[in-house]
Structure formats: structure tokens, C-alpha cells
Amino acid sequence: GHLSGKWAKAFRSRAALAVSFAVWISAACGSPEVKGFRRVVMHDDVDAHASSSEPDEFALLAIHAPEGWQKTPIVLHAPVGLPPDVMGGIEKAAKTWNDAIGFELLQFGESVLGDYQGDLFGRLDLPENLLAFESHWCRTGKPPQALATTIWDYAGSDSNKISRGDIVFNSTYYRITDALTAKDDGGRTIVDAETLALHELGHLLGLTHVAFVDFPDSIMTPALYIGEGLANRRIAPSDVDRVRYI
């Protein structure tokens, strides 16, 4: 389904991009039950940019925050007790983007208690930029099929610049881990942490989706495969160009 993602409070605009589960399952050898061929479509949230003052050129470049972040570096805080394979995947994803940018724009601060129990956008009232793993996904208001959602505050009335942001992962319905080493146990579908983090960090940095037909190698295309053994841990030259443009 299509996701609605623009919420507003006084003096600031809020936005979100979500990764939603697709409607396609490609069969292998006539068997539609093969999880390794389950495709996920990430629906761009057009409402997220409704209040943006970005020029058309930035929309064409698939950039939602042309001026990047109000304050740098961007310090991210993970929950206490996050498994090493998950944290390691996120750190590798951040390093990939930092290497592309040319300096450590994405950094990690102290771990925080992951006990937030409010609604999705209420998280933005907290002071830290959070990497959250939601074990009660219904609180986000997103459908169960969504893998993750990235939310942010624009800097006051300036919708070209981000002041604060979170990535919220759906750990209720998905097992976010290292898909190249984890084994399918018949429970929650495996999603590669590094792959998903690469995509979501792209949104956090200011990028939106690009069309697969135009940029098939981009990590920001609106599709990926999930399941045991499936990962895409690279960003394309086009991703590098766009993030350096910000």
C-alpha cells in the first residue's frame, strides 16, 4: 500500500520515508515458497515532501534536503544491548557513506535505553538521533509489511535542511541481522542489517528514491530482496554523486 508520511507540529515540518513489503514473490523452480526470491518494494512517500521548498532540480536529483543537516557531525545512538552482528552491519553501512562523502559525517554516540513507548513522530521530541528497533510495530501506525521507516524534523520553516532524525526498524515482524551468516529458522523473515541500513542512512542524509530503470545499481532504488543469503552492501557512483551534491 501507499504510505502517508508528513506530520506537522507548530513551527516545524516532519517527514518520513518508509520501506514497505511488496506484493511480488518470484517463483524459483515452480516453488513460490522460496524466501530467497521475495522482493520488497520501498514506496516513496510523496507527502513527505509536500512542504519542501526544494527547487525542481533537487526533486529530479532525488534529494529531499538540498542543504543537508543543520548541525554536523550526525551523531547516532543505538539501543543498549544491540547484537554485535546488527550493530556491526550498521557501522559498516555508515562507513560506506562516510567514505563516499570524504569525512566522518555519520558518527555513533553512547547507547541509549530503547524503552520508548509513544507514537512514531513523538520520538523526534527526544534529543538524540536514534536507531530504534520497534518490537511493537503497531505503535508506528505503519503496516506490518514495512521493514523500516526514516523520520526527520526540518530546521524550523527551512524544509531544505534537517535538524533531527531517526531510523526505526521493524523488529516485530522481521529478523534484522547478518543475512549472509544467519540461517532461516522458519520464524521472522531475515533482512540484512547492513543493506537496510545503507538505504535508510541514505534517506537520513537527504536522499530519496531513484527509479530502478534509471539507476539499477543504486542502493536508493525502491526495491530489494530479503531472505537468507541476500544482501546488497554497495552504493553506486550515482549515489556518491548525489550525496556529495548535498
Side-chain angles (χ1 to χ4, degrees):
H2 196 72
L3 301 180
S4 175
K6 181 182 68 98
W7 287 50
K9 284 192 174 182
F11 307 112
R12 60 183 176 181
S13 299
R14 292 183 166 177
L17 287 169
V19 180
S20 356
F21 187 76
V23 294
W24 305 327
I25 300 179
S26 299
C29 301
S31 172
E33 299 302 322
V34 178
K35 289 189 176 181
F37 288 88
R38 183 176 293 182
R39 191 178 189 188
V40 170
V41 171
M42 307 174 193
H43 291 285
D44 204 346
D45 189 344
V46 294
D47 288 341
H49 317 298
S51 63
S52 176
S53 59
E54 63 187 21
D56 290 342
E57 64 179 293
F58 294 117
L60 291 173
L61 287 169
I63 294 173
H64 70 77
E67 297 180 24
W69 277 65
Q70 184 177 37
K71 180 181 179 182
T72 58
I74 305 166
V75 181
L76 305 172
H77 298 266
V80 172
L82 194 63
D85 61 331
V86 180
M87 191 65 216
I90 295 172
E91 288 174 341
K92 289 176 182 177
K95 184 179 185 304
T96 296
W97 281 115
N98 285 340
D99 288 347
I101 295 165
F103 65 97
E104 290 190 25
L105 177 59
L106 294 167
Q107 299 183 12
F108 295 91
E110 294 183 358
S111 298
V112 297
L113 293 175
D115 57 356
Y116 176 79
Q117 298 181 11
D119 63 27
L120 177 61
F121 286 91
R123 293 176 180 275
L124 293 174
D125 292 323
L126 301 175
E128 300 92 357
N129 301 308
L130 300 174
L131 301 169
F133 288 76
E134 181 56 77
S135 59
H136 295 84
W137 189 249
C138 60
R139 289 195 293 231
T140 68
K142 302 296 182 182
Q145 298 90 344
L147 300 180
T149 187
T150 295
I151 59 176
W152 63 86
D153 261 346
Y154 286 120
S157 60
D158 185 356
S159 57
N160 291 326
K161 191 177 294 184
I162 300 170
S163 64
R164 166 87 174 74
D166 293 344
I167 299 173
V168 185
F169 298 93
N170 181 352
S171 60
T172 306
Y173 298 103
Y174 297 97
R175 182 181 165 199
I176 300 168
T177 182
D178 184 340
L180 300 185
T181 60
K183 299 300 180 183
D184 188 351
D185 59 6
R188 293 172 297 166
T189 301
I190 291 172
V191 178
D192 188 60
E194 186 174 346
T195 300
L196 186 55
L198 270 176
H199 183 92
E200 294 303 319
L201 287 171
H203 288 319
L204 198 70
L205 288 168
L207 302 180
T208 62
H209 294 145
V210 295
F212 180 81
V213 294
D214 296 324
F215 302 97
D217 296 329
S218 173
I219 193 63
M220 301 310 296
T221 58
L224 68 87
Y225 289 91
I226 61 175
E228 179 184 328
L230 295 175
N232 175 17
R233 299 173 175 180
R234 301 181 302 273
I235 60 176
S238 60
D239 299 322
V240 176
D241 290 342
R242 290 191 303 124
V243 79
R244 287 180 177 176
Y245 195 92
I246 297 174

